[in-house]
Amino acid sequence: MKENQINNWINKDYLTEDRIIKFSRQFKDAKPFSHIEINNFFRAKKLREIEIALKKEEFFLKESDLFKVKQTNDLVSSKQNVLIRFREFLISDEFISYMEKISGLTLGRKKIDLAGSIYEDACYLLCHDDMVTGRKIAFLIYLSTMKRNDGGALLFFDKKMNAKVRIIPKKNTFVFFEVSKISFHEVEEVIVKKKRLALGGWFHD
Amino acid sequence: MINKGYLSTEIVEKLSQEFYKNNALPSVTLMEFFERKEFDRMISEISAINFKVCRRRMEFSYKKSVLPESIKKVISNEFLKAYISSIIGKKIKKIEGEIRVFGWKDYTLINDKTIEKPSVELIIDFSVKMRNDCGGGIIYVDGTGEYSEILSSHNSITLLNRKKGIQKFVKYVNHLAGKDNKIYFIGRIII
């Protein structure tokens, strides 16, 4: 079996045609814009390896008017085999096809952005739409679990800027949404001494 | 009105030199600027104001109010205008602006909708002491990644010539601020 085959990486329950159709419907019908949150997405052993490797990467504090967060460089530059293989998997034809089936969007096979992030006490990402030329899908893979009152939740807003969805980070949850001029979202400030570790990035056209 | 320590010709000359030292962002901050009695009068009026919440999530979040009488009097005071003129080297027609209060979860962002034209600015800081890691500082950026945070504090004024390409934002106030606020008069000096 090839290393990068999808069933080596993803919970096998999520690979059936029925399940993919269900995910696709969920993604399309989601409000305030197309998105989906899938729990227990990756195979537990793989996720553990990824988490251990990510924690060995260097994180840099980045601050602007919009955010305060610790981030790795794009993992295209990682020297760790686990992360190199994981990135290769995410950009493999098999996984991109899987994402296309769920999202109904056509995605490129040549480019992916992927970086690790840590939101710790008083880190935040204010509301924005992610609109940058070429971005089609934004995604997050949570590698830690937060409680309801810890902060660090992902909020989705409607056009009137009312929060409509609040996703509380849960380890091994895969969240993705279509990037568009209405994909208004933010990461709530973390208000406890806890680290919200995640991988995130974008699929492109 | 003004702390007497700032009034000698020698000091004014030094402040003017300081103001023009940074060509990209001419600025100077004067700590403990107003005489205590004058400043306390302004603080007392500010604390009685019912501030109005202003929020456009993609642009800003803060509370603001029209100017209380004591502050109107101060910024239209001819002596103050002449004093500032002698530092920035330009004759002042008037000063206009508003009081903005930044508490937990407040901020301003720089985006296409909030681009400000160049201007000479006056910032008066009415905040009680708030730790630096709480946010709420006023930061000037030039679009290339270079930034300067003004080092204002309770009873300071900052004079700043914001040239073309320079924009400012108020850093998000985080939960470490508790119930403390940053309170600024943010004004434009019309020359």
Side-chain angles (χ1 to χ4, degrees):
Chain A
M1 203 176 347
K2 277 188 188 170
E3 166 73 29
N4 263 351
Q5 276 188 333
I6 199 164
N7 51 6
N8 275 340
W9 290 90
I10 293 175
N11 183 338
K12 63 178 173 21
D13 294 346
Y14 297 152
L15 298 174
T16 65
E17 276 308 307
D18 281 355
R19 189 56 79 105
I20 291 170
I21 289 167
K22 196 179 159 198
F23 283 161
S24 174
R25 207 172 297 136
Q26 265 179 263
F27 182 85
K28 195 177 138 211
D29 294 344
K31 303 279 184 231
F33 47 83
S34 297
H35 73 271
I36 194 166
E37 175 187 1
I38 310 174
N39 295 326
N40 298 313
F41 187 72
F42 292 98
R43 295 181 73 132
K45 186 171 174 286
K46 287 286 187 195
L47 196 81
R48 258 197 311 278
E49 289 170 5
I50 292 164
E51 183 188 344
I52 291 166
L54 185 63
K55 283 177 176 170
K56 289 179 189 162
E57 292 288 318
E58 191 170 359
F59 287 78
F60 305 93
L61 179 65
K62 298 193 175 173
E63 287 188 81
S64 77
D65 54 338
L66 199 63
F67 54 77
K68 180 180 177 187
V69 59
K70 285 183 175 172
Q71 265 187 330
T72 64
N73 290 328
D74 192 299
L75 294 174
V76 70
S77 62
S78 175
K79 302 278 188 289
Q80 298 190 75
N81 279 335
V82 172
L83 296 175
I84 292 167
R85 285 201 306 272
F86 180 56
R87 191 179 171 280
E88 282 170 0
F89 164 68
L90 291 179
I91 205 167
S92 67
D93 187 55
E94 201 177 9
F95 186 66
I96 299 266
S97 298
Y98 179 80
M99 292 294 290
E100 286 179 329
K101 280 183 197 166
I102 295 174
S103 67
L105 299 167
T106 304
L107 303 173
R109 265 83 173 149
K110 288 183 182 158
K111 188 180 174 189
I112 186 181
D113 298 318
L114 177 68
S117 65
I118 293 174
Y119 287 76
E120 53 191 22
D121 195 13
C123 287
Y124 57 89
L125 171 62
L126 298 176
C127 188
H128 65 292
D129 59 18
D130 260 9
M131 278 288 279
V132 170
T133 309
R135 286 179 182 173
K136 292 287 282 274
I137 286 179
F139 67 91
L140 278 161
I141 300 155
Y142 291 120
L143 294 165
S144 57
T145 298
M146 305 293 279
K147 288 184 184 156
R148 180 170 293 276
N149 295 326
D150 290 346
L154 178 64
L155 298 181
F156 292 158
F157 299 91
D158 65 12
K159 289 178 195 167
K160 290 180 178 169
M161 292 296 152
N162 295 312
K164 292 291 175 186
V165 172
R166 184 170 189 258
I167 295 173
I168 298 164
K170 191 175 174 199
K171 195 168 184 171
N172 201 8
T173 295
F174 183 45
V175 176
F176 60 92
F177 60 88
E178 182 179 6
V179 176
S180 73
K181 59 185 179 188
I182 61 157
S183 54
F184 305 119
H185 63 284
E186 72 174 40
V187 177
E188 281 178 346
E189 178 191 351
V190 172
I191 57 169
V192 290
K193 296 206 178 302
K194 221 167 156 178
K195 290 182 179 180
R196 173 198 187 270
L197 178 69
L199 277 161
W202 294 273
F203 291 99
H204 292 256
D205 57 16
Chain B
M1 173 191 282
I2 300 173
N3 179 342
K4 289 186 176 53
Y6 283 122
L7 295 179
S8 74
T9 313
E10 196 187 3
I11 293 288
V12 172
E13 269 173 24
K14 275 187 186 165
L15 292 171
S16 186
Q17 282 166 15
E18 178 68 25
F19 181 78
Y20 282 104
K21 206 158 74 181
N22 179 355
N23 187 43
L25 189 66
S27 66
V28 65
T29 297
L30 287 71
M31 303 292 183
E32 291 297 326
F33 180 73
F34 292 104
E35 284 184 318
R36 181 49 56 185
K37 206 173 150 191
E38 186 70 51
F39 192 70
D40 286 347
R41 189 161 40 235
M42 290 191 275
I43 289 282
S44 162
E45 277 201 37
I46 288 169
S47 56
I49 294 172
N50 280 324
F51 285 95
K52 184 182 154 202
V53 173
C54 300
R55 183 174 296 132
R56 280 192 216 147
R57 203 173 281 277
M58 299 276 280
E59 297 171 40
F60 52 75
S61 171
Y62 52 79
K63 292 180 259 326
K64 74 171 185 180
S65 87
V66 291
L67 290 179
E69 281 308 313
S70 62
I71 296 176
K72 269 187 197 166
K73 273 185 196 163
V74 166
I75 62 166
S76 59
N77 180 284
E78 291 304 325
F79 180 69
L80 179 83
K81 285 196 285 184
Y83 182 80
I84 293 174
S85 277
S86 57
I87 293 174
I88 65 173
K90 286 170 183 149
K91 195 163 190 297
I92 296 172
K93 283 185 190 156
K94 65 173 179 174
I95 299 170
E96 55 187 25
E98 61 188 18
I99 303 280
R100 292 185 184 175
V101 177
F102 295 84
W104 185 26
K105 299 188 181 182
D106 286 333
Y107 57 88
T108 66
L109 299 177
I110 298 171
N111 66 33
D112 295 344
K113 288 178 185 166
T114 59
I115 296 295
E116 294 180 288
K117 289 180 182 163
S119 69
V120 182
E121 300 186 341
L122 166 66
I123 313 283
I124 307 174
D125 192 333
F126 294 104
S127 321
V128 288
K129 195 157 178 66
M130 197 155 106
R131 273 168 32 201
N132 277 348
D133 60 353
C134 297
I138 302 179
I139 294 172
Y140 289 79
V141 291
D142 69 358
T144 69
E146 289 298 317
Y147 68 91
S148 305
E149 180 164 0
I150 65 167
L151 299 168
S152 74
S153 65
H154 187 70
N155 194 10
S156 72
I157 71 160
T158 298
L159 301 167
L160 190 141
N161 186 3
R162 191 171 48 70
K163 297 180 178 178
K164 196 179 171 194
I166 308 278
Q167 293 293 308
K168 70 172 179 294
F169 68 89
V170 176
K171 203 170 172 185
Y172 175 86
V173 178
N174 62 48
H175 75 101
L176 302 173
K179 289 182 178 172
D180 290 344
N181 294 308
K182 281 284 189 187
I183 306 169
Y184 298 116
F185 167 82
I186 299 181
R188 214 155 62 93
I189 296 173
I190 314 292
I191 47 180

